[in-house]
PDB file of all heavy atoms in Angstrom:
ATOM      1  N   LEU A1031      98.053 126.262 -17.584  1.00  0.00           N
ATOM      2  CA  LEU A1031      97.385 126.306 -16.277  1.00  0.00           C
ATOM      3  C   LEU A1031      95.888 126.005 -16.432  1.00  0.00           C
ATOM      4  O   LEU A1031      95.286 125.275 -15.642  1.00  0.00           O
ATOM      5  CB  LEU A1031      97.593 127.674 -15.621  1.00  0.00           C
ATOM      6  CG  LEU A1031      97.087 127.794 -14.191  1.00  0.00           C
ATOM      7  CD1 LEU A1031      97.812 126.811 -13.262  1.00  0.00           C
ATOM      8  CD2 LEU A1031      97.272 129.212 -13.665  1.00  0.00           C
ATOM      9  N   LYS A1032      95.325 126.558 -17.479  1.00  0.00           N
ATOM     10  CA  LYS A1032      93.902 126.339 -17.738  1.00  0.00           C
ATOM     11  C   LYS A1032      93.641 124.854 -18.044  1.00  0.00           C
ATOM     12  O   LYS A1032      92.705 124.249 -17.504  1.00  0.00           O
ATOM     13  CB  LYS A1032      93.496 127.218 -18.928  1.00  0.00           C
ATOM     14  CG  LYS A1032      92.032 127.427 -19.048  1.00  0.00           C
ATOM     15  CD  LYS A1032      91.746 128.770 -19.707  1.00  0.00           C
ATOM     16  CE  LYS A1032      90.256 128.966 -19.845  1.00  0.00           C
ATOM     17  NZ  LYS A1032      89.878 130.322 -20.140  1.00  0.00           N
ATOM     18  N   LEU A1033      94.482 124.278 -18.879  1.00  0.00           N
ATOM     19  CA  LEU A1033      94.322 122.855 -19.220  1.00  0.00           C
ATOM     20  C   LEU A1033      94.517 121.978 -17.974  1.00  0.00           C
ATOM     21  O   LEU A1033      93.807 120.984 -17.774  1.00  0.00           O
ATOM     22  CB  LEU A1033      95.309 122.449 -20.322  1.00  0.00           C
ATOM     23  CG  LEU A1033      95.012 123.033 -21.716  1.00  0.00           C
ATOM     24  CD1 LEU A1033      96.195 122.829 -22.657  1.00  0.00           C
ATOM     25  CD2 LEU A1033      93.742 122.412 -22.302  1.00  0.00           C
ATOM     26  N   LEU A1034      95.478 122.368 -17.141  1.00  0.00           N
ATOM     27  CA  LEU A1034      95.711 121.567 -15.925  1.00  0.00           C
ATOM     28  C   LEU A1034      94.507 121.633 -14.998  1.00  0.00           C
ATOM     29  O   LEU A1034      94.138 120.649 -14.349  1.00  0.00           O
ATOM     30  CB  LEU A1034      96.969 122.050 -15.183  1.00  0.00           C
ATOM     31  CG  LEU A1034      98.294 121.894 -15.939  1.00  0.00           C
ATOM     32  CD1 LEU A1034      99.464 122.341 -15.072  1.00  0.00           C
ATOM     33  CD2 LEU A1034      98.507 120.468 -16.423  1.00  0.00           C
ATOM     34  N   SER A1035      93.879 122.790 -14.943  1.00  0.00           N
ATOM     35  CA  SER A1035      92.727 122.901 -14.038  1.00  0.00           C
ATOM     36  C   SER A1035      91.523 122.144 -14.609  1.00  0.00           C
ATOM     37  O   SER A1035      90.643 121.712 -13.869  1.00  0.00           O
ATOM     38  CB  SER A1035      92.420 124.365 -13.728  1.00  0.00           C
ATOM     39  OG  SER A1035      91.455 124.860 -14.598  1.00  0.00           O
ATOM     40  N   ILE A1036      91.494 121.964 -15.913  1.00  0.00           N
ATOM     41  CA  ILE A1036      90.401 121.204 -16.536  1.00  0.00           C
ATOM     42  C   ILE A1036      90.650 119.696 -16.406  1.00  0.00           C
ATOM     43  O   ILE A1036      89.769 118.935 -16.005  1.00  0.00           O
ATOM     44  CB  ILE A1036      90.254 121.601 -18.034  1.00  0.00           C
ATOM     45  CG1 ILE A1036      89.816 123.064 -18.157  1.00  0.00           C
ATOM     46  CG2 ILE A1036      89.281 120.675 -18.754  1.00  0.00           C
ATOM     47  CD1 ILE A1036      89.982 123.650 -19.554  1.00  0.00           C
ATOM     48  N   VAL A1037      91.875 119.270 -16.743  1.00  0.00           N
ATOM     49  CA  VAL A1037      92.188 117.823 -16.786  1.00  0.00           C
ATOM     50  C   VAL A1037      92.487 117.276 -15.379  1.00  0.00           C
ATOM     51  O   VAL A1037      92.190 116.122 -15.077  1.00  0.00           O
ATOM     52  CB  VAL A1037      93.393 117.567 -17.733  1.00  0.00           C
ATOM     53  CG1 VAL A1037      93.792 116.102 -17.735  1.00  0.00           C
ATOM     54  CG2 VAL A1037      93.062 118.044 -19.156  1.00  0.00           C
ATOM     55  N   GLN A1038      93.087 118.113 -14.536  1.00  0.00           N
ATOM     56  CA  GLN A1038      93.546 117.705 -13.203  1.00  0.00           C
ATOM     57  C   GLN A1038      94.348 116.409 -13.261  1.00  0.00           C
ATOM     58  O   GLN A1038      93.982 115.393 -12.640  1.00  0.00           O
ATOM     59  CB  GLN A1038      92.355 117.581 -12.250  1.00  0.00           C
ATOM     60  CG  GLN A1038      91.627 118.903 -12.168  1.00  0.00           C
ATOM     61  CD  GLN A1038      90.652 119.010 -11.027  1.00  0.00           C
ATOM     62  OE1 GLN A1038      90.543 118.125 -10.188  1.00  0.00           O
ATOM     63  NE2 GLN A1038      89.945 120.099 -10.990  1.00  0.00           N
ATOM     64  N   PRO A1039      95.439 116.453 -14.017  1.00  0.00           N
ATOM     65  CA  PRO A1039      96.235 115.230 -14.169  1.00  0.00           C
ATOM     66  C   PRO A1039      97.099 114.953 -12.943  1.00  0.00           C
ATOM     67  O   PRO A1039      97.384 115.868 -12.156  1.00  0.00           O
ATOM     68  CB  PRO A1039      97.124 115.557 -15.360  1.00  0.00           C
ATOM     69  CG  PRO A1039      97.303 117.042 -15.279  1.00  0.00           C
ATOM     70  CD  PRO A1039      96.023 117.597 -14.723  1.00  0.00           C
ATOM     71  N   ARG A1040      97.530 113.698 -12.806  1.00  0.00           N
ATOM     72  CA  ARG A1040      98.541 113.366 -11.789  1.00  0.00           C
ATOM     73  C   ARG A1040      99.924 113.644 -12.367  1.00  0.00           C
ATOM     74  O   ARG A1040     100.839 114.038 -11.697  1.00  0.00           O
ATOM     75  CB  ARG A1040      98.443 111.884 -11.405  1.00  0.00           C
ATOM     76  CG  ARG A1040      99.410 111.500 -10.296  1.00  0.00           C
ATOM     77  CD  ARG A1040      99.644 110.023 -10.173  1.00  0.00           C
ATOM     78  NE  ARG A1040     100.603 109.510 -11.131  1.00  0.00           N
ATOM     79  CZ  ARG A1040     101.910 109.671 -11.073  1.00  0.00           C
ATOM     80  NH1 ARG A1040     102.459 110.370 -10.099  1.00  0.00           N
ATOM     81  NH2 ARG A1040     102.712 109.161 -12.002  1.00  0.00           N
ATOM     82  N   VAL A1041     100.035 113.424 -13.691  1.00  0.00           N
ATOM     83  CA  VAL A1041     101.331 113.580 -14.328  1.00  0.00           C
ATOM     84  C   VAL A1041     101.142 114.205 -15.709  1.00  0.00           C
ATOM     85  O   VAL A1041     100.131 113.951 -16.384  1.00  0.00           O
ATOM     86  CB  VAL A1041     102.066 112.209 -14.384  1.00  0.00           C
ATOM     87  CG1 VAL A1041     101.247 111.159 -15.087  1.00  0.00           C
ATOM     88  CG2 VAL A1041     103.414 112.309 -15.073  1.00  0.00           C
ATOM     89  N   VAL A1042     102.103 115.041 -16.078  1.00  0.00           N
ATOM     90  CA  VAL A1042     102.104 115.647 -17.418  1.00  0.00           C
ATOM     91  C   VAL A1042     103.429 115.290 -18.084  1.00  0.00           C
ATOM     92  O   VAL A1042     104.486 115.418 -17.459  1.00  0.00           O
ATOM     93  CB  VAL A1042     101.977 117.187 -17.335  1.00  0.00           C
ATOM     94  CG1 VAL A1042     102.105 117.825 -18.708  1.00  0.00           C
ATOM     95  CG2 VAL A1042     100.645 117.576 -16.710  1.00  0.00           C
ATOM     96  N   VAL A1043     103.364 114.838 -19.330  1.00  0.00           N
ATOM     97  CA  VAL A1043     104.606 114.555 -20.061  1.00  0.00           C
ATOM     98  C   VAL A1043     104.819 115.657 -21.097  1.00  0.00           C
ATOM     99  O   VAL A1043     103.951 115.916 -21.937  1.00  0.00           O
ATOM    100  CB  VAL A1043     104.560 113.162 -20.740  1.00  0.00           C
ATOM    101  CG1 VAL A1043     105.887 112.886 -21.447  1.00  0.00           C
ATOM    102  CG2 VAL A1043     104.279 112.074 -19.706  1.00  0.00           C
TER     103      VAL A1043
END
Side-chain angles (χ1 to χ4, degrees):
L1031 187 61
K1032 198 151 179 165
L1033 290 168
L1034 296 183
S1035 94
I1036 295 165
V1037 177
Q1038 301 194 5
R1040 183 197 81 75
V1041 56
V1042 175
V1043 182

